Amino acid sequence: MVALLVLAALVFCVPPLVRLLAEWPWYAAIGFQRVFATQIVASLLLGSVAGGFAFAFLYANLRFAQRGVVPNPVVVRMSGEGAAQLDVTGLVRRLALPAALGLALLIGLAASSGWLGVLEFLYRTPFGVRDSVYGRDLSYYVFTLPVLTGVLALLTGLGTVSLIATSALYAMRGDVIVRGKTLTVEPSARRHLGLLLALLFLLTALRVVLVRLPGLLYSTTGPLFGASFADLHATRIGLWLAAVAALGGAGLVLWGGWAPGAALGRATLRAVALYFGVSVLAVFAYPALVQRLVVAPNELSKETPQIARHIAATRRAWGLDSVTTRDFSGEATLTARDIRANGPTIDNVRLWDRDPLLQTFGQLQEIRTYYDFVSVDDDRYMIDGSYRQVLLSPRELNSGSLPTRTFINERLTFTHGMGLTLGPVNEVTEEGLPVLFVKDLPPASSVSLRVTRPEIYYGELTDSWVFARTGQPEFDYPSGDENIFTKYAGTGGVQVRSLFRRLVLAAYFRSLKVLLSSDITNESRALYFRNIRQRARKALPFLVFDADPYMVIDEREGRLRWILDAYTITRGYPYSQPLSNGVNYMRNSVKVVIDAYDGTVTAYLADPGDPLIHTYARIFPGIFQPLDSVPPGVRPHLRYPEDLFRVQSDLYGTYHMAEPDIFYHREDQWQKPVLPQAPERPELFQRHMIMRLRGEARAEFILMVPFTPRGKDNLASWMVARNDGANYGRLVVYRFPKQSLVFGPTQIVNRINQDTEIARQLALWDQGGSTVIRGNLLVIPIEESLIYVMPLYLRAQGGRIPELKRVIVAHQNRVVMEPTLDEGLARLFGEGGRVTTEPGPTAEPGTTPRTADRHVAELARQANDLYQRALAAQRAGDWAQYGELVSRLGEVLRQLQAAAPENRP
């Protein structure tokens, strides 16, 4: 028995103890030990209180049911004639204690998981908004109602278990006897059971009043989420009647418990019939009749107040009540002067899509098989004095691709990634490849950006634990045929320090080699929870994180840092439209910055007006820093979170209609454009760009998405989230006039497909054994109009490097395709517009000729270069490349003819 108890203690106690001893120093190392301590203490206290109360309640009822002399001993008769009889009365008595302890332990464990909800209730912050039905502050529904629901569920469960257990004991004792249709209960047992039944009816009444009545504000019985007319004028009355019926039932069973004979059974049946009868008639039947006979024939007039509440609540909960709307004609015909006036917008048109660029980075810059580029992120930097939009991707170490996967290689030697690749969104080499500002190993920069600490110990791929500062040199980066090694000099991770901690870490990592390795010393540092998503969730378990963390270069210090957007959410905001997961309130209240070298986690308070984050700041004081303290080299790179903007824009397509009658009829509902070839990806048109908004003095980094009317292809509006300076977080919607046609993305794509010149060129490429990849269609507002840009990539058969070969530009009913964006703009808007050609080997990207003669000379140089390259492709037998070069030569010759002196205007 002792051995079993020791074994049970080892099984149940050692793993949590190891976890505590291994994770406490991890939390301490990043300065979040208060979060860990609060979680442990709160869950232990809540579990102890709930378990202790459950034990006291259950054990008291079980002991009371076994009091006094047993009138009929509990006897187990063995099978067979003349078999012995076994009196198990004593055994039943002894089982009461372990049974109560076991149930209490399970209840305590279940209750301990609700520690955060209880702390939210204790430290709740008012919303400052009252619901229009009951007049309560919304904090009651977000913080108080869940706790009341949990407490009542716990008490109801305890009452039900106690009733079943004591009824079984009384039946075994012979205090409860059923003879035919007659139920006879001994008086003390009758009173005990009557009290338990009355408690259950009382709890039912409390649940109706405290939970179900407020819960009407989350009803889905009407046309929208929230209490409907029938809920407010029928169901609410029915619930009050049901609560009175439950109280009446409690009185009936109490009377039955003290009345003589078989009154308890009859009273219980009557109480149950009373409650369910009232519930069926008043809570279900009567509201259904009101809905069918009163509401349905006049739904709009009856539901108008509820629709208004629903719209207002949804707009507040999702931050749509502060959206600024502006009118945008969309009909203006652009000129070359307009294009020149919006130079920063044109200079930052994103010609590289993330997927083709990720493939290209992988082929050109992974360098070794164990390096991976996981994602490509948009950002903006001041580069050589210009505000430029760039695409960048960190070069992370993928330990699963190591040629030899041993303990030393995976845990001690190959510990980190190295640097990143960064380039402008709009520049292309002569070969159709991206221009790279930062590249190679170690990272080399050709612009004003500098990376001084390129090592990536914490990232999106780093799911494994490693040890740094060990007896083994750490691989840093390859250099020719040699490898360069380093030794970790950061403060990240947990220092081993002692044999005891090494033993703990070995148990935690489940690796005996940690304990036995002579390379791991007391000075070594264990780096775990290195995946930045896992690291952030571990440090801040009460927040939800955006799906797209992104890396930035600290412009002051040159360090690599990750930025993660964190949200506070709730499912308890009354009347607000929920998502499919039930969430109906969301705020981007925290920005988390994680250093890629040290792994330091810093949480900055981004939305001080959010009551939820104020509550968490009171629960965990000191863990949030003011947003003004973000390092100055990182602050300019904060951006509006994509997941939140995606949800807000989805909802705004419907909830821009603030008038209940217009909303009810969905007269002006919008949707995001959907292309026929990608109907499941409406987010194709949500993207970052640098542009000058109408009425603004300078270009800025924005996140935008266009809208079309529901079921139509023309544009209705476009929405912008601003990212820079004092305008950060402001949402602006530009609306097109309803009476005029503004071409939408689907219509532009159809016009591209119908263009014979474009179709011929695409067919020629496809016949040459290459694959044409169409880039995302860009919707670019310029002044009072729009231009559309679509890059085209060409990938050779069997090749893995997409090359940017053409750019399609469209404005109103005109579509052109040229080798560069500037040539396309020049063809659309005339030679007075921006005219640049593909940069040659010695040309600076973005060079703009200023005279017609220079333009002619450049075209002649291009023609000769294309001719020589075509001859070389012909000699090499590369007919796909030959056809493509000849086609480009023809286009350059046409431009040269148009630019000849006799053809100039």
Side-chain angles (χ1 to χ4, degrees):
M1 184 64 179
V2 174
L4 288 176
L5 290 175
V6 172
L7 180 61
L10 290 175
V11 171
F12 290 104
C13 297
V14 171
L17 182 60
V18 169
R19 174 177 173 268
L20 174 65
L21 294 174
E23 294 187 8
W24 175 259
W26 181 85
Y27 277 97
I30 63 172
F32 281 74
Q33 61 266 41
R34 181 180 289 274
V35 174
F36 194 47
T38 301
Q39 180 176 351
I40 292 174
V41 173
S43 57
L44 285 176
L45 283 176
L46 181 59
S48 300
V49 171
F53 177 80
F55 170 75
F57 188 87
L58 290 170
Y59 188 65
N61 278 280
L62 292 175
R63 289 298 298 169
F64 187 81
Q66 298 180 74
R67 70 200 179 285
V69 179
V70 180
N72 298 310
V74 182
V75 176
V76 176
R77 292 179 174 82
M78 309 301 291
S79 61
E81 186 176 354
Q85 297 182 355
L86 180 62
D87 185 353
V88 295
T89 305
L91 178 61
V92 172
R93 284 182 179 273
R94 289 192 294 272
L95 284 176
L97 179 61
L101 281 174
L103 287 171
L105 178 62
L106 294 176
I107 291 171
L109 289 174
S112 65
S113 62
W115 64 273
L116 183 59
V118 173
L119 289 178
E120 289 174 348
F121 167 71
L122 294 175
Y123 292 91
R124 61 192 180 277
T125 301
F127 275 66
V129 179
R130 295 186 175 274
D131 79 89
S132 54
V133 176
Y134 299 108
R136 297 187 179 105
D137 188 271
L138 299 189
S139 60
Y140 174 85
Y141 302 93
V142 175
F143 301 124
T144 305
L145 190 57
V147 174
L148 287 176
T149 303
V151 170
L152 291 174
L154 173 63
L155 294 176
T156 302
L158 287 175
T160 303
V161 171
S162 297
L163 179 64
I164 294 172
T166 53
S167 297
L169 283 174
Y170 283 129
M172 294 171 68
R173 284 166 51 99
D175 289 337
V176 177
I177 302 173
V178 180
R179 292 190 180 92
K181 297 181 179 181
T182 304
L183 176 66
T184 303
V185 184
E186 186 268 334
S188 61
R190 187 167 63 244
R191 288 190 287 272
H192 185 193
L193 296 176
L195 284 172
L196 289 175
L197 286 167
L199 173 64
L200 290 176
F201 275 102
L202 177 62
L203 290 172
T204 300
L206 289 174
R207 181 174 175 273
V208 170
V209 173
L210 299 179
V211 177
R212 294 185 65 185
L213 276 167
L216 288 177
L217 302 190
Y218 310 107
S219 172
T220 57
T221 59
L224 299 167
F225 187 83
S228 65
F229 180 91
D231 291 325
L232 297 177
H233 296 85
T235 307
R236 185 160 60 158
I237 298 172
L239 287 173
W240 278 112
L241 292 175
V244 172
L247 290 175
L252 276 175
V253 295
L254 280 177
W255 171 81
W258 267 260
L264 178 60
R266 293 192 297 272
T268 302
L269 291 175
R270 291 170 183 169
V272 171
L274 173 65
Y275 175 73
F276 281 102
V278 170
S279 296
V280 170
L281 293 175
V283 181
F284 297 105
Y286 175 58
L289 287 174
V290 170
Q291 177 66 31
R292 180 178 292 273
L293 301 178
V294 178
V295 178
N298 311 282
E299 188 172 50
L300 178 56
S301 62
K302 296 295 183 182
E303 299 289 5
T304 292
Q306 290 72 244
I307 294 174
R309 293 169 185 163
H310 172 77
I311 295 173
T314 301
R315 289 165 67 96
R316 279 196 309 269
W318 291 103
L320 303 177
D321 54 337
S322 59
V323 175
T324 302
T325 57
R326 300 175 183 173
D327 292 328
F328 195 81
S329 71
E331 299 177 324
T333 300
L334 296 177
T335 65
R337 177 178 297 178
D338 297 321
I339 301 300
R340 288 195 301 272
N342 288 271
T345 301
I346 301 301
D347 286 340
N348 290 283
V349 171
R350 197 175 90 180
L351 299 181
W352 284 102
D353 290 341
R354 292 183 179 183
D355 290 342
L357 189 61
L358 188 62
Q359 297 176 40
T360 304
F361 281 172
Q363 292 300 306
L364 299 179
Q365 284 292 303
E366 280 182 358
I367 312 296
R368 294 287 178 92
T369 58
Y370 40 77
Y371 286 130
D372 268 348
F373 291 103
V374 181
S375 62
V376 176
D377 294 314
D378 289 274
D379 207 347
R380 71 283 197 199
Y381 289 85
M382 289 299 297
I383 297 178
D384 296 333
S386 299
Y387 193 49
R388 302 293 300 274
Q389 184 175 350
V390 301
L391 290 165
L392 61 92
S393 185
R395 185 185 292 104
E396 296 198 53
L397 179 73
N398 184 356
S399 59
S401 298
L402 290 174
T404 306
R405 300 186 62 184
T406 62
F407 175 79
I408 291 178
N409 274 352
E410 288 191 77
R411 308 299 185 186
L412 307 181
T413 302
F414 291 90
T415 56
H416 59 276
M418 173 58 66
L420 49 76
T421 297
L422 180 149
V425 297
N426 65 325
E427 293 189 15
V428 188
T429 67
E430 189 177 42
E431 294 78 20
L433 300 176
V435 172
L436 301 180
F437 289 162
V438 180
K439 61 181 179 179
D440 297 339
L441 291 172
S445 173
S446 60
V447 293
S448 55
L449 285 177
R450 292 292 181 269
V451 180
T452 60
R453 180 57 77 183
E455 300 91 339
I456 302 175
Y457 282 86
Y458 300 86
E460 294 184 84
L461 267 184
T462 48
D463 291 322
S464 60
W465 50 269
V466 297
F467 281 84
R469 210 175 295 172
T470 66
Q472 288 289 330
E474 293 181 54
F475 171 78
D476 204 25
Y477 59 89
S479 178
D481 295 331
E482 299 180 352
N483 290 332
I484 306 300
F485 292 88
T486 187
K487 190 169 186 178
Y488 185 65
T491 59
V494 174
Q495 189 173 350
V496 174
R497 288 189 181 176
S498 65
L499 179 61
F500 176 73
R501 180 168 288 178
R502 187 195 286 205
L503 179 62
V504 169
L505 292 173
Y508 188 69
F509 297 142
R510 299 180 182 180
S511 173
L512 189 61
K513 294 176 182 177
V514 173
L515 188 63
L516 302 178
S517 174
S518 59
D519 292 314
I520 300 175
T521 67
N522 289 347
E523 298 301 316
S524 300
R525 305 188 75 88
L527 279 59
Y528 46 110
F529 298 127
R530 297 195 299 143
N531 182 281
I532 55 172
R533 292 186 179 91
Q534 182 189 22
R535 192 173 186 84
R537 285 195 297 265
K538 196 77 176 173
L540 302 159
F542 45 88
L543 298 178
V544 174
F545 289 88
D546 194 270
D548 185 27
Y550 56 101
M551 174 173 278
V552 302
I553 303 172
D554 188 322
E555 295 184 72
R556 298 286 184 88
E557 300 181 21
R559 299 177 71 95
L560 302 181
R561 305 186 195 272
W562 295 96
I563 300 179
L564 297 88
D565 288 290
Y567 306 109
T568 55
I569 62 169
T570 182
R571 295 172 175 83
Y573 201 98
Y575 271 109
S576 174
Q577 178 66 29
L579 305 181
S580 58
N581 60 2
V583 172
N584 62 359
Y585 173 94
M586 191 175 191
R587 289 290 185 273
N588 175 218
S589 297
V590 178
K591 302 285 187 181
V592 178
V593 178
I594 299 179
D595 189 281
Y597 186 70
D598 284 338
T600 53
V601 180
T602 311
Y604 298 96
L605 190 62
D607 187 356
D610 175 26
L612 282 169
I613 202 61
H614 272 290
T615 299
Y616 295 137
R618 294 177 65 192
I619 296 173
F620 310 102
I623 67 169
F624 296 116
Q625 308 300 319
L627 193 63
D628 292 341
S629 62
V630 176
V634 175
R635 178 67 185 270
H637 301 284
L638 298 181
R639 70 187 193 191
Y640 200 82
E642 293 188 50
D643 285 353
L644 178 59
F645 185 70
R646 183 175 297 111
V647 172
Q648 287 178 315
S649 54
D650 285 341
L651 289 169
Y652 195 78
T654 300
Y655 289 90
H656 71 277
M657 298 178 288
E659 296 298 325
D661 55 339
I662 298 176
F663 183 93
Y664 178 82
H665 293 297
R666 300 294 199 272
E667 293 179 12
D668 190 26
Q669 189 171 9
W670 302 337
Q671 67 179 25
K672 295 176 183 177
V674 177
L675 295 181
Q677 64 268 30
E680 74 286 353
R681 295 183 62 191
E683 73 277 2
L684 280 173
F685 295 97
Q686 176 177 307
R687 58 179 52 86
H688 292 92
M689 65 175 64
I690 288 179
M691 66 169 292
R692 184 177 64 83
L693 296 173
R694 193 194 68 179
E696 300 295 333
R698 57 175 60 89
E700 58 187 280
F701 191 61
I702 65 167
L703 179 60
M704 70 90 70
V705 66
F707 293 105
T708 63
R710 187 76 174 177
K712 302 294 183 180
D713 292 331
N714 59 291
L715 279 189
S717 63
W718 51 285
M719 189 175 192
V720 166
R722 304 176 73 175
N723 289 271
D724 289 350
N727 293 317
Y728 174 84
R730 294 181 181 176
L731 301 178
V732 185
V733 170
Y734 293 86
R735 298 177 302 189
F736 296 111
K738 298 179 182 179
Q739 67 274 13
S740 61
L741 173 65
V742 178
F743 287 121
T746 300
Q747 294 167 319
I748 294 296
V749 168
N750 290 336
R751 297 187 69 85
I752 292 173
N753 294 335
Q754 294 166 5
D755 188 282
T756 55
E757 181 181 350
I758 296 175
R760 180 187 59 81
Q761 181 63 70
L762 297 183
L764 177 64
W765 278 332
D766 283 332
Q767 290 173 2
S770 301
T771 302
V772 176
I773 303 173
R774 294 193 180 203
N776 292 335
L777 182 66
L778 306 175
V779 184
I780 303 171
I782 301 288
E783 298 296 339
E784 286 286 327
S785 190
L786 299 169
I787 63 172
Y788 288 86
V789 176
M790 177 187 286
L792 293 179
Y793 311 95
L794 192 65
R795 184 168 58 201
Q797 188 174 17
R800 300 178 63 184
I801 303 180
E803 298 177 3
L804 179 62
K805 292 302 182 184
R806 291 292 184 274
V807 179
I808 298 174
V809 187
H811 173 59
Q812 293 182 346
N813 60 350
R814 295 187 62 199
V815 178
V816 300
M817 182 176 73
E818 295 295 331
T820 68
L821 172 63
D822 289 303
E823 290 178 81
L825 293 172
R827 186 172 164 191
L828 272 181
F829 303 109
E831 294 298 330
R834 300 169 56 84
V835 182
T836 61
T837 58
E838 290 183 302
T842 60
E844 289 292 327
T847 300
T848 305
R850 298 186 180 276
T851 66
D853 292 338
R854 287 179 60 191
H855 180 49
V856 169
E858 178 63 23
L859 289 173
R861 186 200 65 78
Q862 278 195 41
N864 181 67
D865 180 66
L866 289 169
Y867 175 71
Q868 297 298 330
R869 289 170 60 191
L871 290 178
Q874 183 185 43
R875 289 192 294 269
D878 189 348
W879 298 109
Q881 180 76 357
Y882 174 78
E884 195 269 335
L885 291 170
V886 169
S887 176
R888 289 173 58 184
L889 175 61
E891 292 182 8
V892 171
L893 290 175
R894 284 195 297 273
Q895 293 181 43
L896 187 60
Q897 182 180 10
E902 62 271 17
N903 294 327
R904 294 177 194 166

